[in-house]
Amino acid sequence: MDSPAADEEEPQTVVDDGDIPDGDGDGEGDVEGTTAPLPVYEASKEALTFIESLCTADFSGLLFTDSLVTVSDAGKELGEFSVTMEEAYKDGEECFLIHANSHGSIDHVPCGTSITAYVSKTLQTIEQHHHEYVKVENHPLDRKTFITQQDDNYIVNRIITQGEDIQRLTLTYTKQQMKGFITEGANLLLQRLLIHKEMPANFEFISFDAFCQICKAVYKPLDEREQSVGDDIVTVYGIERTLESTMDLPATWQSYYLSDSHLVLRVQVGSPVNMRLIKLPAKPLQEDLPEKPSFPKQPLNWEEDMEMYSKFLQRKEALKDDHMTYMRHHPELRALLADFLQFLMIRKPGDVLGFASDYFSSFSPNHSSVRPYTNLDEFRKDQIQVHLDQK
């Protein structure tokens, strides 16, 4: 079955412990420890520039679920394939959670693969779990690969179980070595992006081959074509991805998308099966939102409203009682206001506010021009004397 993760694997250069299997599963012929130096691959300048140009708006409309079926060349349904993308947080970083599943049965042999990846907005893989299995009777194969970031390194752990044989591989890469590294989870998101953004020429990243070795990942656009989906004929846009492994033949996948980045067809070149969409996804409803209702301001005739007028009278009486109570408890207030009005009428100042300010500030201990008055009688005597002197 065409694995959704088969066109990607994990990073490695320094082998800490483990081996690279020869594929026979008997442990013989497996290469333990470090092998001969492998070619050093780098992502192209155009690919790195593309990643650096990405912004949050570029991911708008790309977070949805694709559901396809796996079919044989004869058209027989063999399984299902799905990809889900959503916003998430990982270790406090805003990112995307990508989950891909492919499960089915070929010649009555259950097989499948699943990927769970946290990918940043610069397409860096923060963490990825990749699980593949083939349940052959008496000799099942199970392969798990884990990629995590630790400090300035990528750590890759791989566990391969074939029958009773278990092999483990641990690889460590620096982030500098992995610049432009695209895992399968990141690849799924990248291809959706490429439907909306023009693919540059010489578009090359680095990835993993089937043996978890770093290899070159080359992307090329395919000519648009017509594709049948159920009873509909739609225009699709293709992307080809080739992994150029040094340990095996190149592996090529061709994927076709609708203009809105929904996956329609996925084919591994040379494989007898493919993954295809059998029903077009429902288009988001473009509902015409009703105009926001307007409510013209209505005059408030509260005096004619018995309930509101009753509340007004109750509040009025409550405030009146409260004010009268305060004045009974502070008789000096009535005397102070009476004196102020009396002197106001005697002086008849043109600037009432200025006169009031001078009048009341004379009772403040912070008044610097003269000593403050301690009581009304003292203030009255002083003001009477000032009035007589002016005459």
Side-chain angles (χ1 to χ4, degrees):
M1 177 178 296
D2 177 19
S3 163
D7 59 339
E8 161 291 316
E9 300 274 343
E10 284 68 278
Q12 135 232 349
T13 296
V14 179
V15 180
D16 296 332
D17 179 35
D19 52 359
I20 300 175
D22 61 1
D24 58 12
D26 59 5
E28 298 181 1
D30 292 342
V31 181
E32 296 186 357
T34 306
T35 61
L38 297 174
V40 177
Y41 293 109
E42 293 182 351
S44 66
K45 180 180 178 181
E46 292 81 358
L48 297 177
T49 300
F50 177 87
I51 290 181
E52 292 172 357
S53 70
L54 294 177
C55 62
T56 301
D58 292 327
F59 298 94
S60 176
L62 301 183
L63 306 182
F64 51 80
T65 298
D66 274 329
S67 297
L68 290 78
V69 296
T70 304
V71 299
S72 66
D73 287 341
K76 181 181 178 180
E77 291 191 14
L78 304 175
E80 58 186 20
F81 171 66
S82 65
V83 178
T84 299
M85 299 185 189
E86 58 185 305
E87 291 182 321
Y89 282 87
K90 182 64 177 177
D91 300 330
E93 180 180 354
E94 188 176 358
C95 60
F96 301 106
L97 172 59
I98 302 171
H99 191 64
N101 267 300
S102 175
H103 300 286
S105 179
I106 300 178
D107 295 331
H108 306 292
V109 177
C111 56
T113 182
S114 66
I115 292 172
T116 300
Y118 290 92
V119 178
S120 73
K121 293 185 178 182
T122 56
L123 300 185
Q124 283 192 357
T125 297
I126 303 171
E127 180 179 291
Q128 176 174 286
H129 296 179
H130 179 187
H131 180 210
E132 298 171 283
Y133 69 88
V134 180
K135 295 184 178 180
V136 179
E137 188 175 359
N138 300 323
H139 204 68
L141 171 66
D142 188 277
R143 183 165 58 186
K144 297 176 181 177
T145 308
F146 306 92
I147 304 176
T148 57
Q149 288 190 28
Q150 295 183 13
D151 299 324
D152 293 328
N153 297 317
Y154 277 94
I155 307 299
V156 182
N157 289 290
R158 200 175 208 200
I159 303 173
I160 301 175
T161 304
Q162 193 164 11
E164 300 296 328
D165 183 35
I166 300 178
Q167 300 168 355
R168 299 177 185 274
L169 181 67
T170 300
L171 310 165
T172 302
Y173 295 95
T174 65
K175 287 187 177 180
Q176 184 61 33
Q177 290 174 300
M178 304 305 289
K179 193 172 183 180
F181 176 69
I182 298 293
T183 61
E184 175 62 18
N187 168 63
L188 294 171
L189 179 57
L190 172 60
Q191 292 202 16
R192 288 187 180 183
L193 279 167
L194 290 174
I195 299 301
H196 292 276
K197 296 175 68 71
E198 183 178 356
M199 184 189 302
N202 190 33
F203 202 57
E204 299 178 359
F205 292 91
I206 58 174
S207 189
F208 282 124
D209 61 15
F211 302 100
C212 214
Q213 301 293 313
I214 289 182
C215 68
K216 186 185 297 185
V218 181
Y219 290 79
K220 294 180 180 179
L222 298 173
D223 293 335
E224 65 178 69
R225 72 181 203 186
E226 301 297 312
Q227 176 70 36
S228 62
V229 179
D231 297 330
D232 299 297
I233 302 296
V234 295
T235 301
V236 295
Y237 308 87
I239 298 173
E240 181 179 270
R241 187 192 194 210
T242 301
L243 298 182
E244 299 180 356
S245 173
T246 60
M247 303 179 66
D248 202 352
L249 294 174
T252 300
W253 287 260
Q254 295 180 344
S255 302
Y256 288 89
Y257 296 83
L258 297 172
S259 59
D260 60 3
S261 294
H262 277 283
L263 182 61
V264 173
L265 179 66
R266 178 184 173 94
V267 179
Q268 181 177 0
V269 176
S271 173
V273 300
N274 60 76
M275 300 169 182
R276 62 177 60 241
L277 185 67
I278 59 174
K279 183 179 179 181
L280 288 176
K283 294 183 178 180
L285 295 177
Q286 300 293 333
E287 296 183 356
D288 294 331
L289 296 178
E291 293 185 4
K292 186 177 179 180
S294 60
F295 300 96
K297 187 175 181 180
Q298 300 291 335
L300 180 60
N301 297 321
W302 59 270
E303 294 177 326
E304 298 178 3
D305 187 304
M306 294 184 61
E307 182 178 357
M308 295 186 67
Y309 188 66
S310 176
K311 289 182 178 180
F312 164 74
L313 293 178
Q314 291 176 8
R315 181 58 178 163
K316 178 180 178 181
E317 292 300 321
L319 288 175
K320 185 177 179 180
D321 291 342
D322 181 64
H323 296 165
M324 294 302 296
T325 300
Y326 181 81
M327 293 185 70
R328 285 196 300 271
H329 292 166
H330 298 277
E332 68 276 14
L333 175 59
R334 188 184 298 275
L336 180 62
L337 293 176
D339 284 346
F340 170 70
L341 290 174
Q342 180 182 9
F343 284 109
L344 183 65
M345 295 296 100
I346 293 174
R347 296 287 184 85
K348 296 181 176 62
D351 182 6
V352 176
L353 292 179
F355 177 81
S357 175
D358 294 338
Y359 178 87
F360 288 105
S361 64
S362 60
F363 292 91
S364 171
N366 297 324
H367 190 57
S368 58
S369 60
V370 295
R371 66 178 181 83
Y373 299 108
T374 58
N375 55 61
L376 282 175
D377 290 338
E378 185 178 351
F379 176 76
R380 288 168 180 165
K381 292 179 182 179
D382 186 66
Q383 291 297 315
I384 292 172
Q385 185 61 46
V386 171
H387 181 63
L388 295 175
D389 291 342
Q390 290 177 348
K391 290 185 175 182

